[in-house]
């Protein structure tokens, strides 16, 4: 099939490349010409394990191409995926849909034969209806179908998540599109993915509801971790004990810092805003957002307690600063809240991240990047394990100590408290 992916961010690039790997002809379009030039040379704008190899393979065998010419690319394709960003609107909480509607207008002038226009970006309920209105202005209704097909891939696991999804959601009541899309996804369906056909609005809401539910699960376990800290209970026993109930499930019950990334913070706010628009109060999700916003402060309070309220001139190391492992993404990472506050209080901060220097800390006083774990740990008073990179999972901390031992605050519960303590380190973790 001939596909056109508009937008080469996480969703567009990963899905485009994976679709081409399944044998389709895919054009990935982006208005950023520089990005397109680099992609043609095999330079990938994002850090995603395995992606570069797939891009090069499929570009060489000519199933995958890149272009900044939207109109021609749409013209040549049968199925158009809109994969542009839907960030939180400036100064508000709803999703900014300007890029979606701009693309829809451009697509509306390039429909030369029947095309399926799909939103893969996360879009609020009724966005599909709006896109349909835009397309109808320039085209007869039998020339196109607007479908919602949300993508559930996680950064760092994107190729696996695309290839082995739990479910494929197709929001459309239109028979022809359903048949074509079931065929497009048949290689994944035959590997066990469930194909679910819903109304377009339901598909739009499923994406937000899923992200909001996962964010709720994390926030729930984070709050219970606070209770466990006060009652000498190990939060991991709680996660295991609860997770074994099949109605609950064990995933996304890892306590840690505030959830971050490009989706959960943005999508929880956007679903609340959509519900407000329809005069519906999503009070559970509202308190999840509030609780998560307070999470970094709670962890900072623990840092102050660990350092006996003497923060000035304390040398603090952050191991990992991205919002999670296997990504270079800093969006809404809890380190962006914690590091500036510690710096303001006079701490001297060094950080190491496997994905390198971060421009986000450039203008923050007393924050420096070190290019090795060893250098970042030298002379430290407190080491905060912020991100669960494999690189940090089996460190022999004793090797890094010269003189006084540093304290360790493990925000991801990577280490066993008893083992680290027998090595003579003061060790703190989350909910245990
Ligand atoms: C998420 C959704 O999982 C994905 O389906 C959607 O398409 C995009 O948003 P992503 O943002 O890549 O994916 O990361 P995810 O692995 O879901 O983690 C999100 C945040 O939750 C991270 O900050 C992570 O550290 C945190 N998290 C996750 C926990 O704190 N505990 C957990 O048990 C799981």
């Amino acid at each position: 099939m001939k596909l056109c992916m508009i937008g080469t961010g996480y969703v567009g690039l990963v899905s485009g490349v994976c679709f081409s790997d399944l044998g389709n002809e895919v054009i990935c379009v982006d208005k950023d010409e520089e990005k397109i030039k680099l992609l043609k040379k095999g330079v990938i704008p994002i850090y995603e394990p395995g992606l570069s190899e797939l891009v090069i393979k499929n570009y060489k065998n000519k199933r995958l191409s890149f272009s900044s010419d939207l109109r021609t690319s749409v013209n040549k394709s049968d199925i158009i995926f809109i994969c542009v960003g839907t960030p939180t609107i400036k100064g508000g909480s709803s999703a900014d849909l300007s890029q979606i509607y701009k693309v829809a207008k451009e697509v509306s002038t390039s429909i030369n034969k029947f095309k399926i226009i799909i939103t893969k970006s996360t879009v609020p309920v009724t966005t599909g209806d709006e896109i349909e209105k835009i397309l109808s202005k320039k085209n007869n209704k039998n020339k196109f179908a607007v479908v919602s097909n949300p993508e559930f891939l996680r950064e760092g696991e994107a190729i696996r998540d695309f290839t082995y999804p739990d479910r494929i959601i197709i929001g459309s009541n239109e028979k022809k599109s359903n048949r074509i899309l079931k065929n497009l996804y048949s290689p994944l369906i035959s590997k066990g993915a469930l194909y679910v056909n819903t109304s377009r609005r339901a598909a739009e809401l499923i994406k937000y509801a899923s992200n909001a539910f996962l964010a709720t699960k994390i926030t729930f376990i984070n709050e219970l971790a606070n209770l466990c800290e006060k009652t000498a209970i190990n939060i991991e026993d709680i996660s295991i004990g609860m997770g074994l109930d099949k109605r609950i499930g064990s995933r996304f019950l890892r306590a840690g810092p505030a959830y971050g990334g490009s989706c959960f913070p943005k999508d929880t706010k956007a679903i609340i805003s959509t519900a407000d628009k329809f005069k519906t109060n999503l009070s559970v999700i509202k308190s999840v957002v509030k609780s998560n916003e307070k999470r970094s402060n709670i962890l900072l309070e623990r840092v102050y307690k660990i350092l006996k309220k003497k923060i000035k001139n304390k040398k603090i190391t952050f191991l990992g600063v991205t919002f999670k492992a296997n990504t270079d993404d800093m969006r809404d990472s809890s380190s962006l809240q914690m590091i500036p506050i510690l710096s303001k209080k006079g701490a001297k901060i060094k950080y190491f991240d496997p994905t390198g220097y971060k421009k986000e800390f450039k203008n923050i006083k007393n924050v420096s990047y070190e290019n090795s774990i060893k250098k970042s740990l030298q002379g430290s008073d407190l080491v905060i394990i912020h991100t669960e990179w494999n690189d940090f999972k089996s460190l022999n901390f004793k090797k890094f100590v010269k003189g006084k031992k540093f304290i360790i605050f493990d925000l991801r519960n990577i280490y066993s408290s008893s083992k680290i303590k027998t090595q003579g380190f003061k060790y703190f973790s989350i909910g245990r």
Side-chain angles (χ1 to χ4, degrees):
M1 280 183 229
K2 291 187 175 169
L3 316 183
C4 172
M5 316 301 294
I6 304 177
T8 58
Y10 262 100
V11 171
L13 187 58
V14 172
S15 336
V17 172
C18 291
F19 274 130
S20 72
D21 206 50
L22 293 176
N24 300 288
E25 259 179 62
V26 182
I27 314 175
C28 287
V29 177
D30 204 292
K31 60 177 192 249
D32 183 340
E33 288 177 19
E34 194 51 35
K35 205 171 175 187
I36 292 297
K37 249 192 226 160
L38 290 171
L39 279 166
K40 283 181 180 170
K41 287 187 195 150
V43 182
I44 314 299
I46 50 176
Y47 176 93
E48 183 61 43
L51 185 61
S52 169
E53 292 82 342
L54 274 193
V55 168
I56 293 167
K57 175 184 154 198
N58 287 290
Y59 186 66
K60 274 193 185 152
N61 67 25
K62 298 199 166 32
R63 283 203 296 252
L64 178 67
S65 60
F66 299 101
S67 169
S68 17
D69 181 351
L70 188 142
R71 290 205 168 89
T72 314
S73 307
V74 169
N75 234 281
K76 285 186 196 163
S77 309
D78 305 312
I79 307 177
I80 322 298
F81 286 92
I82 303 181
C83 310
V84 294
T86 52
T88 305
I89 209 156
K90 274 201 184 105
S93 56
S94 59
D96 178 352
L97 298 175
S98 53
Q99 294 186 67
I100 296 272
Y101 294 143
K102 190 170 169 274
V103 165
K105 273 184 198 145
E106 283 187 65
V107 170
S108 75
T109 60
S110 318
I111 299 183
N112 49 343
K113 56 177 181 186
F114 179 76
K115 291 186 198 292
I116 305 178
I117 320 293
I118 300 181
T119 46
K120 230 186 203 323
S121 312
T122 304
V123 292
V125 176
T126 69
T127 305
D129 305 6
E130 292 304 317
I131 295 174
E132 197 169 282
K133 275 188 209 154
I134 294 173
L135 296 175
S136 306
K137 281 188 187 155
K138 294 229 172 342
N139 303 279
N140 197 307
K141 277 214 166 142
N142 61 11
K143 274 282 167 64
F144 67 89
V146 178
V147 175
S148 165
N149 169 217
E151 186 53 64
F152 299 97
L153 47 83
R154 290 164 299 166
E155 292 182 18
E157 314 275 347
I159 293 169
R160 200 207 143 274
D161 283 354
F162 179 91
T163 317
Y164 301 99
D166 291 337
R167 76 300 205 192
I168 294 154
I169 305 284
I170 299 293
S172 166
N173 296 325
E174 213 253 338
K175 275 199 186 130
K176 186 173 169 188
S177 312
N178 273 326
R179 192 174 26 82
I180 296 172
L181 292 175
K182 198 162 189 181
N183 195 19
L184 173 69
Y185 278 110
S186 60
L188 307 186
I189 298 168
S190 64
K191 274 193 278 184
L194 292 175
Y195 183 90
V196 183
N197 190 200
T198 67
S199 69
R200 190 168 61 208
R201 287 185 179 185
E204 290 169 340
L205 189 55
I206 285 168
K207 174 65 195 260
Y208 280 104
S210 302
N211 277 354
F213 189 79
L214 292 171
T216 305
K217 248 184 135 176
I218 298 166
T219 306
F220 183 90
I221 207 71
N222 282 346
E223 288 198 350
L224 279 185
N226 297 341
L227 175 63
C228 287
E229 279 159 22
K230 302 219 168 105
T231 47
I233 295 171
N234 186 338
I235 188 66
E236 280 160 15
D237 288 342
I238 307 301
S239 298
I240 293 169
M242 282 175 65
L244 285 171
D245 183 329
K246 289 202 175 71
R247 292 169 303 175
I248 297 173
S250 59
R251 295 172 74 191
F252 282 71
L253 279 183
R254 262 185 299 110
Y259 63 73
S262 63
C263 293
F264 288 176
K266 152 178 100 67
D267 295 347
T268 42
K269 285 181 205 137
I271 191 175
I272 292 169
S273 162
T274 301
D276 284 346
K277 203 172 112 192
F278 290 96
K279 304 212 177 335
T280 306
N281 181 17
L282 296 183
S283 66
V284 172
I285 308 175
K286 279 182 185 165
S287 45
V288 165
V289 170
K290 268 197 202 133
S291 174
N292 195 60
E293 281 170 358
K294 286 187 194 143
R295 182 86 188 133
S296 294
N297 276 335
I298 290 176
L299 298 185
L300 282 169
E301 286 298 333
R302 285 198 67 201
V303 171
Y304 306 151
K305 206 168 156 199
I306 290 167
L307 292 175
K308 304 198 167 60
K309 298 216 163 113
K310 290 181 189 124
I311 314 298
K312 202 164 165 51
N313 292 325
K314 279 278 163 19
K315 293 183 182 116
I316 301 180
T317 303
F318 269 73
L319 287 182
V321 286
T322 53
F323 82 97
K324 67 169 190 178
N326 297 323
T327 178
D328 59 353
D329 202 336
M330 288 295 290
R331 278 177 288 177
D332 275 311
S333 173
S334 59
S335 68
L336 294 174
Q337 291 186 32
M338 296 178 76
I339 290 181
I341 294 177
L342 290 169
S343 143
K344 229 180 189 170
K345 290 198 175 287
K348 305 224 172 333
I349 295 155
K350 293 200 272 188
Y351 71 92
F352 168 78
D353 192 279
T355 56
Y357 169 81
K358 302 292 167 204
K359 62 178 185 328
E360 286 80 356
F361 300 122
K362 192 174 149 201
N363 296 323
I364 303 194
K365 237 171 97 183
N366 290 326
V367 179
S368 60
Y369 167 69
E370 297 291 347
N371 63 7
S372 74
I373 296 176
K374 187 176 169 191
K375 282 191 211 158
S376 74
L377 295 181
Q378 259 160 20
S380 191
D381 296 305
L382 172 67
V383 175
I384 297 179
I385 305 176
H386 176 271
T387 314
E388 72 286 22
W389 285 95
N390 279 345
D391 312 49
F392 309 144
K393 286 188 179 161
S394 33
L395 293 174
N396 179 358
F397 287 106
K398 274 201 293 198
K399 245 180 51 191
F400 298 107
V401 178
K402 281 197 188 116
K404 201 173 116 275
K405 280 198 170 85
F406 42 71
I407 305 169
I408 300 167
F409 186 15
D410 179 357
L411 305 190
R412 301 286 181 168
N413 290 356
I414 291 176
Y415 289 93
S416 131
S417 314
S418 52
K419 263 195 204 156
I420 293 268
K421 281 180 186 162
T422 53
Q423 290 174 14
F425 288 94
K426 273 195 186 156
Y427 175 82
F428 300 87
S429 54
I430 299 290
R432 46 180 206 177

